[in-house]
Amino acid sequence: MSAASTDTRDAARRPGASGASRIALRALHLLLLPLVLIGAWWLASAVTGLYYLPTPGEIAATFVEVWGAERLAADVLPSIGRLIGGFTLGSVLGVALGVVLGLSARLRAVLEPVLEFFRAIPPPVLVPLLMLFMGVNTTMKLAVIVSGCIWPILLNTIEGVRAVDPVLIDTCRCYGVRGRRWLTTLVLRSASPQIMAGMRQGLSIAIILMVISEMFASSSGLGYTIIQFQRSFAIPEMWSGILLLGLLGFGLSVLFGLAERRVLYWYNGVRAAARGE
Amino acid sequence: MKTDTAENARPPARPSGAGGRPRVPRRSPNRAVLGIVGVVGFLLLWEAVPRIGLIPARFLPPASEVLAALGERLVLPEFWTAVGDTVLTWGIGLGIAFAAASLLGFAVGSVPVLRAFTHSTVEFLRPIPSVALIPLAILLYGTDMASTLLLVVYAAFWQIYIQVLYGVSDIDPVAEQTARSYGLGRLSRLRYIAWPSALPYVLTGLRLGAAVALILTITGQLIIGTPGLGQQISVAKNSDATELVYALIIATGALGVAVNVGVRALERRALRWHASVRGEEIA
Amino acid sequence: MLDVTGLQKIYPGQQGEVEALRDLTFDLGEGELACLVGPSGCGKTTLLKCIAGLMRPSSGSVVLAGTSVTGPPPDMAVVFQEYGRSLFPWLRVRDNVELPLKEKKLPKQRRRELSDEALDAVGLLKSADAYPWQLSGGMQQRVAIARAIAYEPRVLLMDEPFAAVDAQTRADLEDLIRTLWKRFSMTVLFVTHDIDEAVYLGERVLVMSSSPTIIQDDVTIDLPDERDQINTRGEHRFAELRTRIYAEIRNASQSATAQPQEAGKAH
């Protein structure tokens, strides 16, 4: 009797236990290395006592202190606003131009070498140039971001539009699908994997440009604040700024990943189907 | 059983990465003519806009003046020193990033446990913009080349590392099993199975990494002031030598084109044997 | 209903011109189901594209219900061979079927009715909310067929629609075509390289020669209206018709290999 009851209890517990251990393993996968790294940092800074290497605890405490509501409103949010504004504008322009160029072989042939050259120019050199043009203001910072992030988006859109399946083009012609519906249902959707790939590259360039345009030519914003901390040897503050930029990059990448998963749901499905899953 | 073909396992960014797809065929003379028309048209436009006063020449000097300034620069040794410094920083940075990323990528990629334990850290560190490290770089190395190298290595490393991981996970399990059944050792399997199948990915990583490395090289020189073309641009801007700023930007653009063309050529060469297998990738 | 007269198509090529179609003349009556059969590489797809208005012939004309075809005509639907590529992978099955109807500016209610009817007719009403890539090859081709019927065309063109599906699916789809043809009373032109399929499906079989192509023969299929995969294919008359067309196609491809200099003269 007691043996039987132990058996059933075991049987009931076993799947639960293995589930729990799976979750524990996942958590370990997720957290072990970050914890080890933070620990190692702590140890290193405690042992060496280097002035430029504050402990993680110090950085965390400074982070909370430095990036309070006031600085958030004055420096961080305007920077993020410009970043998103510039990136959006660059994406719209890049996709629009890319569609036009992708559809016209002749125009493409004429402009391709020029575009290839513009794409090859490292975008940061645009910062001094546009400062010259426009002085130091919001328009200039936006222009820097737009003119840097537009190229990968533009060129990838061209590739994507060129790669639209000819059978789908014929299908649309047969069924009289044209005009706006043709553009949105056929061309843009079909090019969306390349457009998203271009936008991902454009986003990381936009972040770089947001930061350095403020480091190089500004008296406010995230980049400016961080470089000021470094200049005044406010080391834990500087580290907290680096941490904030890191979190910003990570957060935007996560958001973009979510958007990408939505937009390219069909594309991932097609690929999985082709793999035979 | 999952049969991952290279095409399917490829991340979405692959069809047209930063370097674009090398377009070997279909460059008929007609296209070349149209391309030259485009370049000449662009230069004429650039010449005309400041001349007729649409944009004042102090903001946008005419193309002829900029090209003249570039011509003057081209005979100065200091210009070539700057180019040399830029290329050197780029090359060393890319080299370090490539070596580290390939080694780590192969090591971590082929051991699933390591992969599982490092995933979260990689996903957090990868999107951190390398320019965030600028203050740290200045603090550590001042205006030494090492400052810029830090940025370059950090940025290029992730591009290559991620591609190597994709590449290692793309190894055909049938080929791997065949090799095992013929008794190939771990090292030979790495040499004959893992390396060739990962090579296209490694090269894509190299291509993306090379472009990013150049961007960060110029950024570091511009912002931190380590020697090179970027620093020259900054100096020219501060002395209001507008046509020189434009001339130097053209020089960095030319360097960018050279890097793109060079890496694509390398990719084509290294993957020649691959052409029939992945025509889509090459053509 | 559909008149094709003196159709010729010459492609400009790198080694001189290639004459794909030489001189094709035939006409289809209202409500006819005709099969076009020919050896591979004889320009079947070229002909179909000319009829569909997707390609301009070098000379000759295509007239649909009294109107000359210069672009895709509004009351014609086409089912392509590459079923996987002719469906929009980012649209669900129902949206694929309704897309052309939206372009026709039909009200939502009517679109729904038509797509329901068409999907039901091909037996896919249950999969209306799936994506095409979630379906098997045969089901994907059914979706393409449903899209064509929902469009309510007067003429339905099919370009080797079953070339890439397995034998059992193919037999089912052939019966489906006969059923749909009767139910929706369309004129159907069915292009295939499979002689059995042509004889089994058609009321009439047009035999094409090898490239440069002409219509070599026009065979009336005098099999009973009710056809059945097992019995019809077993009939003596089926075998006769099949043999006749087979012989003609074999002659056509043999004479084609025997006359390269004539093809050269044409340029």
Side-chain angles (χ1 to χ4, degrees):
Chain A
M1 151 81 205
S2 84
S5 81
T6 333
D7 273 352
T8 43
R9 224 188 304 140
D10 266 6
R13 196 191 290 153
R14 221 173 282 130
S18 85
S21 73
R22 233 192 353 260
I23 291 169
L25 189 66
R26 280 284 302 151
L28 209 60
H29 281 167
L30 220 59
L31 297 175
L32 182 67
L33 185 61
L35 289 176
V36 167
L37 288 177
I38 292 171
W41 181 321
W42 211 304
L43 203 67
S45 82
V47 169
T48 59
L50 288 169
Y51 74 97
Y52 56 78
L53 201 65
T55 63
E58 250 180 285
I59 296 175
T62 318
F63 185 92
V64 177
E65 191 183 306
V66 169
W67 303 104
E70 199 182 321
R71 195 162 255 132
L72 213 61
D75 290 311
V76 181
L77 291 181
S79 292
I80 295 178
R82 283 193 292 271
L83 170 68
I84 292 181
F87 175 64
T88 310
L89 203 60
S91 302
V92 171
L93 287 175
V95 170
L97 281 173
V99 168
V100 171
L101 283 170
L103 291 175
S104 161
R106 189 166 290 256
L107 205 57
R108 208 164 54 227
V110 172
L111 291 181
E112 206 162 37
V114 178
L115 293 180
E116 285 287 333
F117 187 80
F118 271 97
R119 197 257 303 263
I121 295 178
V125 301
L126 298 167
V127 176
L129 191 67
L130 289 168
M131 263 173 80
L132 219 75
F133 245 97
M134 308 181 181
V136 177
N137 53 35
T138 306
T139 322
M140 166 261 173
K141 289 175 204 156
L142 273 180
V144 164
I145 294 174
V146 171
S147 53
C149 72
I150 195 172
W151 303 107
I153 302 173
L154 172 66
L155 287 146
N156 275 35
T157 306
I158 293 176
E159 286 291 327
V161 171
R162 283 181 60 189
V164 176
D165 195 316
V167 177
L168 279 182
I169 295 176
D170 276 352
T171 305
C172 281
R173 286 186 64 196
C174 281
Y175 290 111
V177 177
R178 59 176 84 84
R180 231 179 86 177
R181 182 161 287 126
W182 176 78
L183 193 67
T184 52
T185 319
L186 175 68
V187 178
L188 288 178
R189 288 309 291 274
S190 171
S192 57
Q194 286 92 335
I195 293 177
M196 291 310 273
M199 283 175 69
R200 192 177 261 286
Q201 289 170 28
L203 182 61
S204 53
I205 291 180
I207 298 176
I208 292 180
L209 290 176
M210 182 267 280
V211 175
I212 65 173
S213 70
E214 290 170 358
M215 283 182 174
F216 197 79
S218 188
S219 51
S220 68
L222 201 43
Y224 170 78
T225 314
I226 294 171
I227 211 81
Q228 272 318 106
F229 285 146
Q230 178 261 317
R231 283 185 186 143
S232 55
F233 289 92
I235 305 302
E237 285 81 359
M238 177 196 92
W239 273 106
S240 77
I242 294 177
L243 181 64
L244 182 65
L245 272 182
L247 288 173
L248 179 65
F250 177 72
L252 285 172
S253 158
V254 168
L255 282 180
F256 190 85
L258 288 176
E260 190 176 57
R261 193 142 22 123
R262 263 187 92 88
V263 173
L264 298 185
Y265 173 70
W266 64 271
Y267 181 67
N268 297 327
V270 170
R271 279 155 40 110
R275 270 205 298 271
E277 277 168 6
Chain B
M1 192 184 80
K2 222 161 68 170
T3 49
D4 274 353
T5 67
E7 193 196 342
N8 298 320
R10 197 172 298 145
R14 293 264 315 182
S16 40
R21 204 181 306 179
R23 242 168 275 126
V24 192
R26 261 190 313 176
R27 196 162 279 268
S28 60
N30 191 22
R31 273 178 72 83
V33 170
L34 286 175
I36 292 169
V37 168
V39 173
V40 171
F42 172 75
L43 288 175
L44 285 177
L45 188 72
W46 181 3
E47 184 71 25
V49 165
R51 293 254 181 242
I52 61 174
L54 222 56
I55 297 175
R58 73 196 147 92
F59 292 147
L60 181 70
S64 54
E65 285 177 24
V66 170
L67 292 178
L70 182 62
E72 280 169 32
R73 275 325 252 197
L74 287 180
V75 295
L76 294 181
E78 58 175 295
F79 171 79
W80 291 105
T81 315
V83 172
D85 283 334
T86 302
V87 173
L88 194 67
T89 312
W90 172 79
I92 294 177
L94 185 62
I96 295 175
F98 182 73
S102 309
L103 284 176
L104 270 174
F106 268 101
V108 172
S110 45
V111 184
V113 179
L114 278 182
R115 221 183 151 132
F117 276 104
T118 52
H119 183 78
S120 62
T121 310
V122 170
E123 285 309 301
F124 180 75
L125 291 180
R126 186 161 70 106
I128 294 179
S130 47
V131 286
L133 301 179
I134 287 178
L136 181 66
I138 299 175
L139 209 58
L140 290 177
Y141 305 110
T143 56
D144 200 60
M145 189 211 270
S147 258
T148 300
L149 273 181
L150 179 70
L151 309 183
V152 174
V153 171
Y154 188 86
F157 174 83
W158 295 113
Q159 300 279 351
I160 304 168
Y161 179 76
I162 292 297
Q163 291 296 329
V164 173
L165 279 193
Y166 283 136
V168 174
S169 68
D170 187 35
I171 293 166
D172 185 356
V174 178
E176 173 78 13
Q177 280 154 21
T178 312
R180 261 174 213 273
S181 71
Y182 279 101
L184 260 67
R186 210 180 167 76
L187 215 62
S188 331
R189 286 211 303 277
L190 192 70
R191 166 74 186 77
Y192 294 108
I193 309 287
W195 175 248
S197 29
L199 188 61
Y201 291 90
V202 174
L203 288 167
T204 301
L206 188 65
R207 191 179 68 207
L208 297 173
V212 167
L214 187 66
I215 293 178
L216 269 302
T217 303
I218 299 290
T219 304
Q221 295 169 348
L222 199 65
I223 307 288
I224 303 173
T226 66
L229 279 173
Q231 182 221 23
Q232 300 260 311
I233 291 176
S234 168
V235 169
K237 192 250 149 200
N238 288 335
S239 53
D240 279 329
T242 313
E243 61 297 331
L244 188 56
V245 173
Y246 279 93
L248 290 169
I249 286 175
I250 291 184
T252 60
L255 206 57
V257 170
V259 165
N260 284 349
V261 170
V263 179
R264 282 187 216 176
L266 177 76
E267 196 170 22
R268 269 206 301 281
R269 251 188 98 80
L271 293 183
R272 241 180 340 204
W273 55 275
H274 242 290
S276 60
V277 192
R278 336 169 141 245
E280 161 268 337
E281 174 74 11
I282 308 297
Chain C
M1 184 69 204
L2 179 70
D3 293 297
V4 176
T5 321
L7 202 70
Q8 186 193 32
K9 178 69 190 178
I10 298 172
Y11 289 104
Q14 272 159 350
Q15 287 96 32
E17 296 171 330
V18 180
E19 188 181 29
L21 305 177
R22 171 160 294 175
D23 180 12
L24 288 164
T25 302
F26 63 89
D27 60 282
L28 294 187
E30 175 100 51
E32 225 179 342
L33 197 176
C35 290
L36 202 61
V37 65
S40 52
C42 75
K44 294 184 288 267
T45 298
T46 305
L47 170 62
L48 205 102
K49 284 197 165 172
C50 288
I51 296 176
L54 293 170
M55 191 186 267
R56 294 295 287 267
S58 308
S59 65
S61 68
V62 177
V63 177
L64 175 68
T67 322
S68 184
V69 170
T70 49
D75 38 15
M76 181 186 279
V78 182
V79 174
F80 294 91
Q81 178 180 349
E82 303 94 337
Y83 51 80
R85 289 165 54 198
S86 87
L87 298 174
F88 299 87
W90 44 86
L91 297 181
R92 291 169 196 275
V93 165
R94 185 185 296 283
D95 296 324
N96 261 291
V97 175
E98 287 190 9
L99 179 70
L101 310 179
K102 281 187 190 154
E103 202 60 37
K104 268 187 172 177
K105 307 230 163 22
L106 294 181
K108 197 174 173 189
Q109 183 72 34
R110 179 71 186 137
R111 291 205 304 263
R112 182 84 189 193
E113 275 170 34
L114 284 169
S115 64
D116 271 345
E117 188 186 8
L119 284 172
D120 188 40
V122 300
L124 277 181
L125 199 50
K126 282 202 299 272
S127 306
D129 289 326
Y131 284 95
W133 36 267
Q134 292 168 327
L135 307 177
S136 69
M139 287 160 93
Q140 289 180 22
Q141 192 57 293
R142 278 169 201 261
V143 176
I145 294 169
R147 179 170 63 189
I149 332 173
Y151 194 59
E152 298 183 293
R154 293 174 70 186
V155 177
L156 174 60
L157 301 182
M158 306 185 90
D159 182 14
E160 305 203 28
F162 310 145
V165 296
D166 62 83
Q168 182 53 48
T169 312
R170 187 176 185 139
D172 294 344
L173 288 172
E174 283 165 6
D175 290 332
L176 176 68
I177 293 299
R178 295 256 334 155
T179 317
L180 294 175
W181 168 64
K182 282 184 206 149
R183 176 165 163 194
F184 294 94
S185 56
M186 307 166 282
T187 308
V188 178
L189 182 61
F190 189 101
V191 176
T192 177
H193 65 265
D194 184 324
I195 298 163
D196 280 45
E197 184 168 80
V199 175
Y200 179 76
L201 272 180
E203 304 292 290
R204 201 176 140 197
V205 173
L206 296 160
V207 183
M208 292 168 84
S209 72
S210 299
S211 183
T213 310
I214 54 165
I215 295 287
Q216 184 159 316
D217 199 3
D218 185 344
V219 184
T220 306
I221 304 297
D222 44 6
L223 291 170
D225 195 39
E226 284 302 324
R227 295 187 191 173
D228 174 273
Q229 289 288 353
I230 296 165
N231 295 326
T232 307
R233 285 179 194 268
E235 271 180 42
H236 181 62
R237 184 65 189 144
F238 184 91
E240 268 177 19
L241 288 163
R242 183 185 172 283
T243 311
R244 176 177 161 192
I245 295 168
Y246 183 73
E248 283 186 27
I249 286 185
R250 203 173 51 178
N251 284 344
S253 38
Q254 273 166 359
S255 63
T257 48
Q259 50 164 224
Q261 68 273 50
E262 211 220 326
K265 242 184 286 167
H267 302 156

